[in-house]
């Protein structure tokens, strides 16, 4: 029995391919990668949405804004009608995963499931919004680090449509989606990240881990701005935000990979890219990612110990200038700050002013490797 069967070919990045994956138990999953429009150094490739053909078939993710209709066409190619589906599950609230959701729901009346944090963050809270220009945006983008010139043009309509979506809430921890299929809440890349574990055979990981790309971590600091929305149900920032939590999530997945070494990984980006498949081994990829973050911590301590303790200085010294163009600069700053938070938490850095640091002389972050 062949694991992978290409039903429709796409382009070199995998855009608009339709692929059937047949697991040893006979469970079919269709990969439906819809196009993204980010480009240059930040090209993620398409978003891989998945159709899981379990007893109650369901879709995971809905592509980015404008891709809902395309997704329906691809489902049709796979031979699946929307009425066959029980629900669509959102892996996390980033626009490249839930952008097409409102459109899809409007066309099909599909039910939506997502983590409780997602349900809270897609709503508007005019009294709690941090600044006037964010009043019409839902809580999930109050902490977005993209400049106003970007989000007012690109995001407003998408958020407006989503605010009215009804969500069946998936809880934290591990929850059943049906026979042998569970979700696991693994926050850190975003506070609402869910992985879907299909028995002992496969895992749909969303953006929690990706081939070729290092998923960016959130920062504890991001909780501050939306605490008013979350604190009732999620009172601790460190339970859902930050690099430390992200690494803990990777640790949980690593244990799963150790127990089930043959588990197939279905990632949300770069599964197929540059005309090639990127097969991911859960444990190996997680070790690479943890190694990457440990190295970055070491590099930051090195820069700060030479007297360059302001975040802007660390960013400039750490990244190649080509990566700091346009939105790259915001992403790089976020990346450095998430590591600085972890280093402060461990006692390796001391924050002496806002986003300004000194080294303490310890290197406790190194224990990350063994945790
Ligand atoms: Zn994401
Ligand atoms: Zn993504």
């Amino acid at each position: 029995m062949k694991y992978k069967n290409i039903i429709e070919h796409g382009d070199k990045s995998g855009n608009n391919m339709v692929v059937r994956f047949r697991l040893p138990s006979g469970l079919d999953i269709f990969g439906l990668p819809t196009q993204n429009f980010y480009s240059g150094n930040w090209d993620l490739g398409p978003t891989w949405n998945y159709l899981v053909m379990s007893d109650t078939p369901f879709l995971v993710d809905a592509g980015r804004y404008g891709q809902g209709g395309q997704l329906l066409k691809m489902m049709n190619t796979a031979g699946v009608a929307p009425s066959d589906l029980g629900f669509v599950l959102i892996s996390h609230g980033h626009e490249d995963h839930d952008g097409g959701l409102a459109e899809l729901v409007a066309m099909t009346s599909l039910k939506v499931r997502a983590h409780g944090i997602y349900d809270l963050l897609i709503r508007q809270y005019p009294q709690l919004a941090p600044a006037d220009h964010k009043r019409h945006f839902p809580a999930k983008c109050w902490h977005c680090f993209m400049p106003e010139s970007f989000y007012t043009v690109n995001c407003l309509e998408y958020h407006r449509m989503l605010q009215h979506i009804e969500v069946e809430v998936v809880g934290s921890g591990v929850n059943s989606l049906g026979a042998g299929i569970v979700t696991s809440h693994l926050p850190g890349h975003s506070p609402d990240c869910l992985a879907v574990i299909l028995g002992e055979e496969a895992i749909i990981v969303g953006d929690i881990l990706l081939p070729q790309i290092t998923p960016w971590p959130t920062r504890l600091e991001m909780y501050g701005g939306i605490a008013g929305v979350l604190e009732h149900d999620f009172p601790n920032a460190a339970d859902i935000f930050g690099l430390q939590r992200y690494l803990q999530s990777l640790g949980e997945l690593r244990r799963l990979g150790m127990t089930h070494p043959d588990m197939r990984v279905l990632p949300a980006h770069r599964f197929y890219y540059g005309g090639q498949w990127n097969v991911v081994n859960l444990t190996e990829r997680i070790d690479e990612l943890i190694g990457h973050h440990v190295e970055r911590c070491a590099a930051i301590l090195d820069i700060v110990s030479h007297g360059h303790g302001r975040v802007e200085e660390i960013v400039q010294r750490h990244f190649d200038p080509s990566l700091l163009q346009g939105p790259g600069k915001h992403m790089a700053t976020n990346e450095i700050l998430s590591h600085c938070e972890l280093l402060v938490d461990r006692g390796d850095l001391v924050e002496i002013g806002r986003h300004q640091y000194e080294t303490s002389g310890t290197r406790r972050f190194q224990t990350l490797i063994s945790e």
Side-chain angles (χ1 to χ4, degrees):
M1 206 163 48
K2 217 166 132 204
Y3 169 55
K4 202 183 291 152
N5 185 7
I6 299 179
I7 293 166
E8 185 148 294
H9 287 272
D11 67 12
K12 272 182 77 176
S13 303
N15 287 299
N16 302 322
M17 271 175 125
V18 176
V19 192
R20 190 195 69 199
F21 303 96
R22 179 160 286 173
L23 299 179
S25 66
L27 177 63
D28 279 344
I29 300 160
F30 291 98
L32 309 174
T34 49
Q35 204 164 353
N36 270 314
F37 300 91
Y38 319 108
S39 58
N41 284 329
W42 299 97
D43 182 28
L44 296 165
T47 300
W48 281 75
N49 314 281
Y50 293 100
L51 257 180
V52 180
M53 301 306 293
S54 47
D55 295 345
T56 303
F58 61 95
L59 178 67
V60 179
D61 286 339
R64 65 158 300 180
Y65 187 60
Q67 292 296 299
Q70 174 61 16
L71 198 50
L72 278 184
K73 268 192 222 153
M74 293 163 82
M75 277 170 59
N76 188 41
T77 305
V80 179
S83 55
D84 297 339
L85 301 185
F87 56 91
V88 49
L89 178 86
I90 296 299
S91 71
H92 66 299
H94 288 162
E95 188 265 352
D96 54 326
H97 300 260
D98 74 348
L101 182 63
E103 185 188 357
L104 196 67
V105 168
M107 292 188 292
T108 62
S109 311
L110 261 177
K111 285 185 183 145
V112 178
R113 292 193 193 177
H115 188 265
I117 294 175
Y118 179 84
D119 184 41
L120 287 168
L121 294 186
I122 58 170
R123 315 292 169 198
Q124 254 192 57
Y125 304 87
Q127 319 84 326
L128 296 173
D132 267 355
H133 59 268
K134 286 270 181 174
R135 197 149 289 169
H136 300 295
F137 288 87
K140 78 166 167 166
C141 61
W142 293 351
H143 62 243
C144 176
F145 46 74
M146 298 302 276
E148 191 175 352
S149 57
F150 178 89
Y151 63 70
T152 43
V153 175
N154 292 288
C155 316
L156 197 55
E157 197 46 39
Y158 145 70
H159 287 308
R160 253 189 214 132
M161 288 176 72
L162 268 187
Q163 280 162 24
H164 308 290
I165 294 275
E166 216 176 292
V167 176
E168 294 178 2
V169 167
V170 174
S172 299
V174 173
N175 287 279
S176 174
L177 282 184
I181 299 178
V182 295
T183 55
S184 179
H185 180 219
L186 296 167
H189 167 65
S190 84
D192 56 355
C193 276
L194 294 174
V196 181
I197 303 168
L198 306 160
E200 298 175 357
E201 297 187 298
I203 179 165
I204 298 172
V205 287
D207 282 357
I208 301 168
L209 67 98
L210 299 168
Q212 301 184 329
I213 293 171
T214 310
W216 63 268
T218 46
R219 287 180 275 136
L220 286 169
E221 209 177 22
M222 290 170 172
Y223 183 85
I226 48 176
V229 176
L230 294 180
E231 65 196 350
H232 183 267
D233 297 323
F234 305 94
N236 299 313
D239 289 346
I240 50 175
F241 280 102
L243 179 57
Q244 182 95 355
R245 185 62 184 91
Y246 175 63
L247 292 172
Q248 194 186 323
S249 290
L250 288 184
E252 287 175 42
L253 280 183
R254 192 177 187 285
R255 281 191 287 282
L256 187 73
M258 293 296 281
T259 323
H260 306 295
D262 297 329
M263 192 159 253
R264 300 181 194 263
V265 179
L266 301 166
H269 300 285
R270 299 277 182 113
F271 198 4
Y272 181 88
Y273 199 70
Q276 286 181 335
W277 288 96
N278 292 309
V279 177
V280 179
N281 175 292
L282 203 53
T283 331
E284 281 171 20
R285 183 61 184 144
I286 288 169
D287 287 344
E288 278 171 17
L289 290 172
I290 294 174
H292 161 88
H293 290 295
V294 168
E295 267 172 39
R296 187 152 281 176
C297 284
I300 291 172
L301 279 189
D302 191 46
I303 293 168
V304 177
S305 72
H306 284 86
H308 309 292
R310 286 190 303 114
V311 63
E312 299 82 4
E313 297 175 297
I314 305 170
V315 166
Q316 266 177 17
R317 281 173 171 76
H318 187 70
F319 289 98
D320 189 85
S322 68
L323 289 171
L324 301 177
Q325 310 287 320
K329 193 177 162 202
H330 302 281
M331 302 186 85
T333 303
N334 176 73
E335 184 76 23
I336 293 297
L337 286 175
S338 69
H339 287 80
C340 288
E341 273 186 348
L342 184 142
L343 289 164
V344 167
D345 185 67
R346 299 267 158 154
D348 297 336
L349 281 183
V350 180
E351 189 164 11
I352 54 169
R354 185 168 156 74
H355 298 163
Q356 189 176 352
Y357 307 90
E358 259 174 24
T359 49
S360 71
T362 61
R363 293 173 72 83
R364 296 196 190 102
F365 75 89
Q366 286 171 327
T367 59
L368 284 173
I369 304 168
S370 55
E371 275 169 16

